[in-house]
Amino acid sequence: MSKQPPPPPTTTAATHKWRFGYGSNLGLKTLREKKNLSVDRYHVGIIKGYELYFMPGLNEYVEPAWAAIRPSPDAELHGSAFLIPNADADGLDRQEGGYNVVDVEFTTYDGEVINVGLYVPKKPYVEGSSSEAIPSYRYLKLLKDGAREGGLAQHWLDMLDSVEHYMTPPHVREKTLQLIAEFHSDDTRKDELWSTEKLAQHDGSDPDNFPTCTSVMQYVVQINKEKWIFGSWKGHNVTRRNLFQFQGKSVDTNDIRHDEPGYRPLPKLCECS
């Protein structure tokens, strides 16, 4: 499937690179609107010799799994090949820092053969010792939507539909409700109001004087020094940012910090569907 005519052959090799998407990079809409990539050509098809699985992700509670692949002689990996400018490809490679780019042969459903860059986990899967994980609803939906948008084979759609998504364990929900109840019963905390300017001071640049904090749903949360979080969360209200992420929109384009024009800490009600 080709969405646009290819660039002139004399310039393609010098100015563009092929990449293959099987996870969050699968759908054309996501590539253009969320990843902000200039896609010149887009095909769907297969790569032989690899199978899809889900490896442990960021942590157990926030994006618990990412799409990954492992060698399997008789398997076929379905997904999309897309041609993008070198600068876009280099940026995407940096974003996919946990993967190596391996040159492989991709075959479109129409039979065209193209050499593409395949993202292979830097930490290889080892039978008997490597772990698998369950993806979040948001992440799995990216794969399902991208696969349907691209028109992947029905058996691949059925396989993705059969994948279980992560559900927050009851004990985690109970602990969250407990912490919220404790907050509201503490008069020294519940009546303290933070401005966006004050929150911004807690961006991790001076942790001794301003411990790193973030805010979600108007609760301010101090981050454990031993825990890693996205730099974009530090000193920032991430309610709107996370909503954009869930909706598959570009957080880089749409998320606005407090010192930037158009800042709004909470989303409009119409944005919450």
Side-chain angles (χ1 to χ4, degrees), residues 13 59-60 78 100 165 172 195 211 226-228 238 250 257 262:
N59 63 48
E60 183 181 356
H78 291 245
N100 290 318
H165 67 77
V172 174
S195 66
E226 305 301 320
K227 299 293 185 180
W228 179 90
V238 297
S250 171
R257 298 187 74 90

Side-chain angles (χ1 to χ4, degrees), residues 13-26:
T15 63
H16 292 69
K17 294 177 182 176
W18 284 98
R19 291 294 182 261
F20 180 83
Y22 54 86
S24 62
N25 297 325
L26 176 56

Side-chain angles (χ1 to χ4, degrees), residues 183 188-196 198 218 220:
F183 172 84
T188 64
R189 290 192 292 163
K190 73 174 186 178
D191 294 330
E192 181 181 357
L193 298 178
W194 282 38
S195 66
T196 54
K198 180 176 180 178
Q218 303 310 94
V220 176

Side-chain angles (χ1 to χ4, degrees), residues 24 35 37 42 50 72 112 127-129 146 166 171 184 186 194 197 209 212 225 245 273:
S24 62
K35 300 296 180 83
L37 301 176
Y42 179 89
Y50 289 93
S72 181
E112 181 180 355
E127 190 70 37
S129 62
Y166 175 84
H171 73 276
H184 285 290
D186 185 345
W194 282 38
E197 290 77 12
N209 294 309
T212 304
K225 292 182 179 180
Q245 177 82 338
S273 60

Side-chain angles (χ1 to χ4, degrees), residues 27-142:
L28 181 59
K29 181 179 179 180
T30 295
L31 294 172
R32 286 178 169 162
E33 297 182 9
K34 179 174 173 56
K35 300 296 180 83
N36 298 315
L37 301 176
S38 298
V39 181
D40 290 308
R41 293 181 64 189
Y42 179 89
H43 298 278
V44 291
I46 62 171
I47 292 175
K48 295 184 177 181
Y50 289 93
E51 68 176 354
L52 178 71
Y53 78 102
F54 293 92
M55 65 181 182
L58 185 61
N59 63 48
E60 183 181 356
Y61 309 119
V62 180
E63 297 303 354
W66 307 127
I69 55 174
R70 55 195 173 203
S72 181
D74 298 324
E76 290 183 344
L77 177 66
H78 291 245
S80 64
F82 47 93
L83 185 66
I84 52 179
N86 288 342
D88 282 6
D90 293 343
L92 186 60
D93 294 348
R94 288 192 296 272
Q95 180 181 328
E96 302 293 350
Y99 301 77
N100 290 318
V101 180
V102 178
D103 291 332
V104 298
E105 191 175 88
F106 162 81
T107 305
T108 72
Y109 287 155
D110 296 329
E112 181 180 355
V113 177
I114 304 170
N115 288 326
V116 301
L118 174 66
Y119 291 112
V120 178
K122 289 182 176 178
K123 187 176 182 180
Y125 181 86
V126 179
E127 190 70 37
S129 62
S130 293
S131 300
E132 297 188 37
I134 299 174
S136 70
Y137 174 86
R138 181 204 72 86
Y139 186 78
L140 184 59
K141 186 174 184 294
L142 275 179

Side-chain angles (χ1 to χ4, degrees), residues 139-165:
Y139 186 78
L140 184 59
K141 186 174 184 294
L142 275 179
L143 273 68
K144 292 180 178 180
D145 290 350
R148 284 185 164 80
E149 177 193 1
L152 294 193
Q154 186 60 49
H155 74 273
W156 194 260
L157 301 181
D158 294 341
M159 180 277 294
L160 291 176
D161 286 340
S162 71
V163 175
E164 179 184 3
H165 67 77

